[in-house]
Structure formats: structure tokens, C-alpha cells
Amino acid sequence: MVPARPKRRPFPRIRTIMTVGVIGALIVLGGQILDRELQGGESVMSETGPRVPGAVFPTDQFAGKDVPQPINFSHKIHAGDLAINCLYCHTYARRSKVAGIPPTSKCMGCHTIVATADERPEIAKLTTMWENGQSPAWNKVNDVPDFVHFTHERHLQRFLFDNPDMDVKDSSEVCAMCHGDMVEVGVAIKMRPLTMGFCNDCHEENDGPSECTRCHK
Amino acid sequence: MTRTKIDRRRFLKVLGLGGAGVALAGCDLPSYATLEEGEEQIFSYLAPEEYVIPGIGVWYASTCLQCPAACATHSRVREGHALKLEGNPTAPLNKGKLCQMGQAGLQNHYNPDRITRPRIAGKDVTWPQALAAIKQKSGANLAWVTGTISGHQRVLLETHLKASGGGQHYVLETVHAKSWEAACTDLIGVAEPALHFNKAQAIVSFGADFLGTWKSPVHYMTQYGEFRSTPRGVLTVIEPAMTLSGANADHWVAARPGSLASVALGVAHVLTAEHHVSTAGLPDGGAAAITAMDAPQVQLLAGVDAQAIKKIATTLMSNHPSLVIADGDYDDCAAAMLLNLMLGNVGATLTPGVDLAPSRLASKGGSSKDLAIFANAAGAGNIDIAFITGCNPLFTAPNGLNMKQALGKVGLSVAVAMFEDETVAACDVVLPLASALEDWGSHAPPSGALLGEIHLQQPLMEKLYPDVMGLGDVLLGLAQDAGAEGLDQFEDYYGYLRTAISAMIGSEIEADWNNVLQAGQIAAPIMERTFTTAKPITIKTPTVNPGALTLVTTARQGLYDGRHANLPWLQEAPDQISKAVWDSWAELHPGTAAKLGVKDGDYVTIQSNTGTITTRVFTYRGVHPDAICVPMGRGHTNYGRYATDNGVNPLSILDVSIDPRTGELDTTSTHVEVRPTGDNRHLARLMDTDSQHGRKLVATITADQFRRNQGGA
Ligand code: SF4
């Protein structure tokens, strides 16, 4: 005989929801604490003077690890001391989603004349690779997951080229919004968290688009 | 019954709420924990290339070589890599469309099983060593065994044969329309008339899967789109087992394998007897065959009832012009052509089409006739050196042709191939072939679909492996070695092709060459054809063996004749009919399955005179009760990691029976014994059920309602 279906006891909604809620809250809290620790700084969005006029400048910090590179390229010397415009080397940033690493031919354009292989051991490494037809295998420092569609072109458009109060020669200020002050570091490190929260905050403050599909294609 | 602490319902609720909680919490998790710093590498260019901007794709034109149709492609190339293939929107042939086999061309190129070095007897060697082995045999009885070939590769191949003192060129294709061409030649004097599906109001196909694999499917699909727009054309398909075209039909009729001619003649009989269509213009033999095929005869031979025949005739009478096509043996195709003649379709939906004026550039299509001839010639020891490329005779030949022994008797067999397959593994020397995405070439669509363009193939990226070589380069090198005249000036095939194309466009200017590459096609000089009057014909009707099961080995859009079995995208793309993936199956009518005492998932042995295969049953009403349909493509014993030991190869057990009028293998006359093995395992199908279980996922109406509302037949 088929047993009679037992009467269901009422579902203990409150208890379950509370348990799940507490677990959720703990995860959120833990995440926040971990977040701050990893970032190594305060998570606040603030305007610190008119670095990029007409924009709220993010200041979240991220203590990125040292990433070894085949050549110890110093951003400080090039973009800081010599004040070479970021877009001179990262020439694709204004035209593409990726900023691109400059082609070796561009490096050699200067380094056959100044700070040559004879003078600098790091340039000697680069020169050998150039002569052997090899590209340096750089290790990526700043990256977003594959499911995030980020485009340099659009951001430069908004904050630099379409920004009437910005001069293109000050592009490093715009780059610093997401990359920190690269003009002050040697070999590149990651200086902003580049998380979804980071992006979202900036989009909110600067009236950027907020639809999911803008970034998650 | 005692209540367990957590029943299913409660478990699901907790799971749902818990999941939601975690998901909400996850919104602010330190997500960069998943980001990579210093994990991936990034390479810069040594010197920037023109037009190349990292992150931005550039589309280059080329040609699809995944089947003989040679559709024109556009490929998105980013950072030096081809990432996506699409149809070339400016090509009249395929109008920007590309089928799934074409899309999977990427996996052909990036396939991990590619041959990267030349080999002799299975051992890696250098190119000079491989060429030296070939040179020792030069000048002897030579043969090229290829798939469909056209353009300047064909010219060089024929030049090589000529320079080597003659020799044979065998062109092998399992999926071909040679019987149709033979019938067209006899009845209208043109082997491959241009077909205009878009101009027809009704299409009747006798077994020709023009939307899937027949001749130039993408070309026909674009026309079919027009055919189905207002006013909506009516499609009728008659075949032993449903194909993609059959699945799209308004009216689908199951006919006994090998009996399509009787159905076509039966329809013609109704047209004359009931609709008074004249048979006056038909060739001798045509009218007599029609008169003899009355409804009881059709019922007896094809198992198709009078009502179905009448319905087809009515459709043809009420929709002018129509188009009747066929794929089967000579009789089937000739009977279908009689209908075209009677209905006045010749000149309307079938036009003579055009030929390429440089006839050596035309597409040289293959057949199973050449397969049999090659097997005989090789088996008799008449071939000293055979170059084999673009075909896999050891897989596609029925056991009865003894292809393996035949190939063993070839003095030196040289495979020019991208992958090791059954044939390549049996060859003495293997030359690694560049992929279609790495090579130069020119390709003419099959002449029935030719509109006057030939398509250019250009490398879309650097070769993935330095030692692979394009087919054109191999052919040029061999022809030069054989002392062919006028070829010494060319350093490589690119030089040869560029010179030849420049001569065709009458310009050597760089910018013009670049324009040709950008367009991916050139208008070739053409010659108009004309129809001639029909020759007398004889149409044989089949002998019937009711109740005997006949093996049907249809080709499906996807694995095709087996060449694409090593592409995971196509293995996992569900079959159009059964929705099965990654394995073979045998389609049986539910009534036949019941008679045999088998159900879905039961393993059965299918035994012919020449062999046995064992696979699982899939019961389906789209199969004639006297047919067992095992689609071809799987069952490789040596074709890389994705194809080997996956499914069964029905081609191997086909009886070797040759149609004397065309020389082609008759693929619908293999009777088989089917016996259950007692094992059963669920067949993996993407959509495991045909029922929506009341959920209305897709709105449906009954066929009758549809016919009334949409004006179908
Ligand atoms: S029909 Fe053939 S040539 Fe055309 S896209 Fe499909 S596989 Fe490629």
C-alpha cells in the first residue's frame, strides 16, 4: 500500500533566514576587513585637489607585490624625471581597449642614441633581444578578469580628450586614476585595487554608466 | 514512513536562501583575490605592423576549405591571431553566411593533434630527407589522390602530373552529387545547372539535403531564406531518413531506401493522369516509365501511399515555378529531372549557369567512382607513387574495396596532411600541411553554384609550426623538381599565385593586388552554357525486399564525411535530428524497433555482407520502417584525441555495389541484419526529451492549423 503522505510541518522560516543572514553578514564583514588589509589603506573616494579637473579622483590604494620583469624598466626615469608622456609609449591606449606595451623598435629609437647598450646593462639586455628578433616577455601587472570588458580608449576620451580643462601633456594624471602615480615608481607595480567595487565607486562619483552589460559583455 | 530531518523541499529552500545570502555577501568580497598579478605574460611587437593595434580586431578576407563549397570568409585577426571566422558579406555565393563546419575551421587550425614535422615510416625527419625519399621514385607511375580541388592548386597539380610523364588524378568525395550531374547531363545537356531555390514557389527534394550537405549548402540556405519569405514557398522532402532539409519541410514523406525514383515517377503519373500535364517534351523512355508507375506500384516499391503522392502533385500544380532536386542513384535523379521538364522548371528555376573560361581553374569535384577505381589500380600494383591529400580513403572506403591492402601495394605513398588519420598513418612519407588559415590559394565554388567569382585564400596569421608547408608550395616544389616549364622563376606559391592573379586582373600594381586580397574574390572570365535536348533514358525501378532492413548512411551538417570528427565544437554540437553528441547511434522507426524487440539506448549489432558495427538505438518516426540510419562521420580508429574510438563507421560495412551508368557506389542497397546485444546505455543527447512537459517553452500549433494560417501545403 502506498503510505499516506505525511502532513508537512510548517517551514521554520525565521530561524533559517536569520541563520543565513548572520552567515552572510559575517562573510561581508570578513570581506571588508580583508579588503582593507590587502589594500593597505583607507577605502574612500575623495577629491584631492584638481588633479583631473571635472572628475572625482579615486584614491584607493593597493599594495601590489613586486612583479619581476625581463628588463628593469623604470617608469620614474621615463615618465617622471624625463617627463615623457605616457601616451608616447603606450600609444594604443587612446585607440584601443588595451594600452599596449611599446614595440621594441620604439625603445631602440632612443636607446641607440641615448643611454645605449654600452652604458646600461638593462639596455644591453634589450639590445640583445632586439638583435635576436625576440620580444621581451613582460609579466602582466594590471589585469582584469576575462569577463570584464574594460577599454582604455573610452576612459581617456572621457577624462582627457573630451575634458576641456585637461591638457594632453598631463595625461599621467588621468592614468593615475587607475594606475596610481606610476611616475614615482621604478618597475611597475599595481597600485589600485581594480575591483568591481573600485570601478563602481568611480562610475558613481563620475556619472559613468552603471548597466551590468557595459562591462560584462 | 518516517519523516527525515531534511526533506527535498526543505533542502532546496535552505539551499536557495543560503545561496542568495552568499551571493549578496559576495558582491563585496575582495574580488581581486581572483585577479592575477604577474601570472600572465604579454609580448610587445618588435616593430609595429601597419594596421595592427593591439586589442582591435581587423577582418581579412579568405576562403573556407571545410567542404567543397569554398565559401568566402572574413576572419577577425587580433594581435596576430585569427579569432573568429564569418562569411564574407560581399560574396554573392554565401552573402556573409558561414555554416557551423566553416566556423569550426578555427579548431582545425589550432588543433593540438596537428602534424608539425615531415615523417618517414612514422619517424620525424627533415624536409630534405623527406623530399629525397620522394625523388628516388620520381618519373614512375604517379597518382594524385585528393578531395575536391580547384583554382591554381589544381593547375599546379595537373602541371606536376604532366611534367612527371602523365599519371592519374583521383578525386574522392563521399558526399557528392555525381548521379544528379549524370542525370542532368542526359536530360538537359548541362551537368551542373544553376539552381534558383529563391525563384521557386515549391521545392520538392528527393533525398537531397540542400540545407545541410548537398553541393553548396550555405549558398542554397541564403536562397532558401528568400524562398520562405512572402509569399512563403512550400517545401516537400521525400527520403528514407530525415535530414536537416527534411526537418524543415512542410510535408515530409518517408520512402523505402533506394525507391525515390518510383515516388518521383508516381508523382509524374498523377500529374499526367489527374492534372493533364503533358509528357510530350520528355525524352524516349521517360513517358513509358511514368505510365507504368501507378499508385499501387509506388505503394509496393516505396511504401508511399497514394494520398501522399497526390498531395505532392497538387503542391507542384498550385505553385509555379517549382524546383525538383534529387540525391540518390541515377534513376532517382533522372526521375526528378523528368518532373522539372514536365513542369517547365527548366529555364526558370534551373538555368544553364556558367563555366569558368580558364577551365582548369574550375572545381574538380570528387566521387565514390574514383574511390573504387583508385582501389583497383592500387590493388593491382599499378601505382608506383601516390600523393594523397584532402581525403581519407581508408576511412571512407567500404571494407569490400580492400583499401588497406591496395594502399600497401603502392610503391611509395606520400600523405600531405595536417593530421594523422587512418590513411596518413598507412603512408610511407608524411609531409606536414599548413592549415587553411596559414596558406595561399584560389578556389572556385562547385560549378552549379558558380556565379563567376573565384575566391582568394590568404594567410590570416603566421604558421603555428615552422615546418608546415602550404599545398601550393608543395605542388610548386614538386612540379619544379619534375622539370615543369615556366615555373623556375617562382620562389614560392605566393609569387606564382600573385603573378597568375595579376594576369587575370590585368594589373601588376601593388594597390590592385591589395584590393583583390581585401575583396577576397575576383570576377573570373566566364562562358555561358546552353541546354541541349534530352537523350533517351531508361529508368530502372528497384526490386523490393519488404521487411529487409537497409542501411542508410546519411551525411550530417557537422562531422560531414568524417573529416570534422577531430573538431570538438562539431562533436559537441548536437546532431540536427537525434540531438546526440560525441557518439554514434542508429535511427530506427519505433515500429521496427518494437519488431526487433529493442528500445532507446539498446546496443545492436548491424551486420552486412562485409562487416559488423555495434551501436545504440535511437527510435524516431522520421525513418522509413525498412531503414536503419547510421549517420557517417564517427568511428575513426586513428584520428587524434577527439575522434579516435568514438562511435562507429557505417561506411565500412556498405556493400560494394556499383551503378553501371555512373560508376558510383550504390549506397542504398546494403541489407543488414540487426540484433540486440542485450546491453543498454543512455544515449547522451542535448535535449533528452521531445516534450515540453506543459511548460510552453516554445509556442506550438498543430500542423493543420499551421497549414491553414501560413498557407502551407
Ligand atoms: S558550406 Fe562548406 S565552404 Fe561553406 S561555410 Fe560550410 S563548410 Fe565552409
Side-chain angles (χ1 to χ4, degrees):
Chain A
M1 197 187 95
V2 180
R5 191 184 164 86
K7 205 165 173 287
R8 273 201 299 124
R9 277 218 309 259
F11 182 70
R13 247 170 246 257
I14 302 297
R15 217 174 55 208
T16 313
I17 291 173
M18 282 188 64
T19 317
V20 172
V22 168
I23 295 173
L26 282 175
I27 295 175
V28 171
L29 213 62
Q32 295 284 1
I33 293 167
L34 194 63
D35 228 10
R36 275 176 212 193
E37 264 176 24
L38 283 173
Q39 286 172 19
E42 281 294 291
S43 176
V44 281
M45 180 75 67
S46 66
E47 210 165 351
T48 58
R51 293 192 62 173
V52 178
V56 178
F57 193 91
T59 55
D60 298 34
Q61 302 292 312
F62 181 84
K65 62 181 184 188
D66 287 338
V67 178
Q69 299 293 0
I71 290 151
N72 287 324
F73 173 86
S74 167
H75 283 85
K76 185 170 185 312
I77 295 175
H78 292 83
D81 303 347
L82 299 172
I84 300 171
N85 194 312
C86 306
L87 298 178
Y88 177 72
C89 295
H90 295 289
T91 174
Y92 304 116
R94 60 189 293 183
R95 287 181 276 166
S96 170
K97 57 186 282 191
V98 297
I101 306 278
T104 314
S105 60
K106 184 158 264 178
C107 311
M108 296 310 295
C110 293
H111 285 296
T112 40
I113 300 160
V114 293
T116 57
D118 299 337
E119 300 160 37
R120 303 273 201 288
E122 291 300 303
I123 304 299
K125 278 199 238 168
L126 181 76
T127 310
T128 312
M129 288 184 191
W130 167 248
E131 282 164 358
N132 292 340
Q134 281 174 336
S135 291
W138 301 98
N139 292 308
K140 252 189 190 178
V141 175
N142 291 296
D143 199 4
V144 287
D146 291 347
F147 52 80
V148 179
H149 175 83
F150 172 85
T151 155
H152 280 84
E153 180 195 12
R154 189 70 199 94
H155 287 83
L156 281 180
Q157 206 69 43
R158 158 73 178 81
F159 294 110
L160 186 63
F161 299 115
D162 289 351
N163 191 346
D165 299 323
M166 269 306 278
D167 196 329
V168 176
K169 77 176 168 35
D170 297 327
S171 64
S172 65
E173 296 294 340
V174 173
C175 301
M177 292 174 81
C178 299
H179 293 294
D181 287 319
M182 294 299 288
V183 290
E184 287 165 16
V185 297
V187 176
I189 55 165
K190 181 171 164 179
M191 290 194 275
R192 299 270 193 246
L194 305 186
T195 58
M196 181 164 150
F198 173 80
C199 297
N200 249 346
D201 286 349
C202 194
H203 273 229
E204 268 173 31
E205 300 275 357
N206 288 304
D207 293 332
S210 58
E211 311 88 76
C212 309
T213 50
R214 278 303 173 99
C215 309
H216 301 294
K217 303 269 180 192
Chain B
M1 185 181 138
T2 54
R3 194 193 151 98
T4 48
K5 269 201 181 135
I6 288 191
D7 66 13
R8 185 170 161 270
R9 203 179 178 85
R10 191 166 171 218
F11 173 75
L12 288 176
K13 275 193 177 170
V14 173
L15 197 72
L17 284 167
V22 171
L24 284 173
C27 286
D28 208 2
L29 271 179
S31 51
Y32 49 82
T34 63
L35 295 190
E36 301 158 337
E37 263 175 284
E39 297 297 318
E40 280 183 7
Q41 289 193 320
I42 174 168
F43 292 85
S44 53
Y45 284 98
L46 275 176
E49 296 201 22
E50 246 181 306
Y51 308 123
V52 171
I53 298 175
I56 293 193
V58 182
W59 293 85
Y60 289 92
S62 194
T63 305
C64 177
L65 302 191
Q66 295 285 91
C67 91
C71 294
T73 62
H74 267 183
S75 168
R76 187 157 73 96
V77 178
R78 224 191 75 189
E79 280 107 77
H81 285 77
L83 298 183
K84 183 80 175 80
L85 298 171
E86 288 293 357
N88 180 343
T90 63
L93 180 82
N94 53 315
K95 296 195 175 123
K97 308 289 186 291
L98 207 69
C99 76
Q100 59 170 352
M101 303 191 293
Q103 300 275 352
L106 279 181
Q107 283 200 326
N108 216 30
H109 168 72
Y110 291 113
N111 200 301
D113 293 325
R114 281 185 61 179
I115 299 173
T116 58
R117 304 278 312 274
R119 292 179 197 165
I120 295 179
K123 294 215 172 56
D124 283 356
V125 295
T126 60
W127 269 96
Q129 286 168 320
L131 293 177
I134 294 168
K135 232 176 180 164
Q136 280 175 358
K137 285 274 178 185
S138 295
N141 259 345
L142 192 138
W144 267 97
V145 188
T146 70
T148 299
I149 191 164
S150 65
H152 292 90
Q153 300 78 247
R154 177 180 166 191
V155 174
L156 277 182
L157 186 148
E158 287 171 359
T159 308
H160 174 227
L161 277 176
K162 199 167 156 221
S164 309
Q168 287 300 319
H169 180 195
Y170 304 95
V171 192
L172 318 185
E173 291 290 351
T174 307
V175 183
H176 62 81
K178 289 290 175 191
S179 301
W180 167 258
E181 290 165 22
C184 288
T185 308
D186 285 355
L187 286 161
I188 51 178
V190 169
E192 295 189 70
L195 306 176
H196 304 279
F197 293 87
N198 50 343
K199 290 186 186 157
Q201 297 301 321
I203 298 170
V204 176
S205 166
F206 290 92
D209 185 14
F210 64 101
L211 295 177
T213 54
W214 196 66
K215 289 168 79 76
S216 190
V218 175
H219 177 55
Y220 298 152
M221 262 187 251
T222 58
Q223 292 192 350
Y224 176 77
E226 287 177 46
F227 160 78
R228 283 299 210 184
S229 54
T230 356
R232 188 176 187 279
V234 186
L235 173 63
T236 306
V237 176
I238 306 101
E239 56 197 357
M242 193 178 275
T243 59
L244 182 59
S245 307
N248 279 286
D250 302 287
H251 184 201
W252 185 81
V253 180
R256 183 173 285 125
S259 72
L260 295 173
S262 25
V263 185
L265 292 174
V267 173
H269 186 98
V270 177
L271 287 176
T272 50
E274 295 183 17
H275 300 278
H276 314 294
V277 178
S278 163
T279 55
L282 298 187
D284 284 356
I290 292 168
T291 313
M293 194 58 65
D294 55 10
Q297 269 298 100
V298 181
Q299 175 75 56
L300 172 77
L301 297 171
V304 175
D305 61 29
Q307 217 191 340
I309 300 291
K310 280 187 178 178
K311 190 169 164 182
I312 300 169
T314 310
T315 303
L316 286 171
M317 283 313 293
S318 47
N319 293 282
H320 277 295
S322 56
L323 175 61
V324 185
I325 54 172
D327 186 21
D329 61 14
Y330 176 87
D331 301 309
D332 304 334
C333 299
M337 277 307 295
L338 289 180
L339 282 171
N340 280 321
L341 287 167
M342 286 170 70
L343 292 161
N345 297 336
V346 177
T349 53
L350 290 100
T351 56
V354 293
D355 271 321
L356 281 175
S359 59
R360 287 166 81 199
L361 294 181
S363 175
K364 189 166 181 190
S367 64
S368 58
K369 175 181 171 185
D370 274 15
L371 183 76
I373 300 177
F374 169 66
N376 285 339
N382 292 341
I383 299 176
D384 294 327
I385 177 165
F387 292 93
I388 305 176
T389 192
C391 59
N392 183 0
L394 246 53
F395 177 78
T396 52
N399 293 340
L401 284 180
N402 295 324
M403 188 60 84
K404 188 155 191 163
Q405 289 85 325
L407 197 59
K409 290 194 185 152
V410 171
L412 183 80
S413 45
V414 183
V416 189
M418 281 179 69
F419 303 103
E420 178 164 311
D421 60 22
E422 292 79 359
T423 306
V424 173
C427 283
D428 305 312
V429 179
V430 180
L431 304 179
L433 186 65
S435 82
L437 275 55
E438 301 166 332
D439 203 3
W440 289 99
S442 63
H443 303 273
S447 80
L450 184 81
L451 304 164
E453 288 78 22
I454 62 171
H455 297 154
L456 267 290
Q457 177 198 1
Q458 63 174 323
L460 302 167
M461 58 182 285
E462 290 279 312
K463 287 174 181 162
L464 286 176
Y465 308 100
D467 270 354
V468 298
M469 201 185 272
L471 181 63
D473 282 301
V474 173
L475 289 165
L476 179 69
L478 290 172
Q480 283 170 335
D481 273 358
E485 275 172 35
L487 293 180
D488 284 346
Q489 51 173 316
F490 301 112
E491 233 172 69
D492 53 17
Y493 182 57
Y494 165 73
Y496 171 83
L497 186 69
R498 184 167 169 172
T499 309
I501 299 285
S502 299
M504 285 175 82
I505 58 172
S507 164
E508 300 210 335
I509 300 168
E510 177 89 18
D512 290 336
W513 167 247
N514 285 338
N515 285 341
V516 167
L517 289 185
Q518 201 174 359
Q521 53 196 329
I522 57 167
I526 48 173
M527 293 180 307
E528 296 287 339
R529 303 175 184 139
T530 43
F531 287 137
T532 56
T533 43
K535 287 188 204 154
I537 51 162
T538 331
I539 298 182
K540 287 195 290 130
T541 44
T543 43
V544 203
N545 203 348
L549 273 179
T550 304
L551 178 65
V552 176
T553 59
T554 55
R556 293 280 161 84
Q557 236 287 350
L559 303 192
Y560 201 66
D561 59 2
R563 70 183 67 178
H564 300 318
N566 66 341
L567 308 181
W569 282 349
L570 297 178
Q571 280 276 4
E572 72 189 13
D575 176 70
Q576 295 103 46
I577 301 301
S578 71
K579 315 291 183 292
V581 293
W582 286 103
D583 201 356
S584 295
W585 64 93
E587 288 164 18
L588 271 181
H589 189 275
T592 312
K595 261 191 233 157
L596 291 166
V598 293
K599 58 183 184 311
D600 280 337
D602 277 357
Y603 279 92
V604 288
T605 57
I606 304 165
Q607 188 183 358
S608 74
N609 292 331
T610 55
T612 305
I613 53 175
T614 305
T615 190
R616 269 173 289 181
V617 168
F618 170 67
T619 57
Y620 186 59
R621 296 178 67 82
V623 191
H624 189 275
D626 286 353
I628 178 165
C629 171
V630 185
M632 62 177 91
R634 293 193 169 87
H636 285 275
T637 53
N638 186 352
Y639 194 27
R641 70 195 70 188
Y642 304 114
T644 305
D645 297 334
N646 182 334
V648 293
N649 177 12
L651 297 172
S652 64
I653 63 165
L654 282 176
D655 289 347
V656 180
S657 141
I658 292 183
D659 183 340
R661 282 159 303 173
T662 56
E664 301 295 333
L665 284 174
D666 181 357
T667 53
T668 52
S669 61
T670 304
H671 294 304
V672 289
E673 294 283 338
V674 178
R675 292 187 200 89
T677 66
D679 293 333
N680 178 294
R681 198 152 58 90
H682 196 79
L683 177 67
R685 299 167 61 219
L686 186 76
M687 183 188 70
D688 209 30
T689 168
D690 291 332
S691 164
Q692 300 191 36
H693 298 289
R695 286 177 295 171
K696 294 220 159 102
L697 299 172
V698 179
T700 53
I701 55 171
T702 63
D704 270 345
Q705 272 174 326
F706 179 76
R707 279 183 205 119
R708 275 202 300 278
N709 297 343
Q710 308 288 322

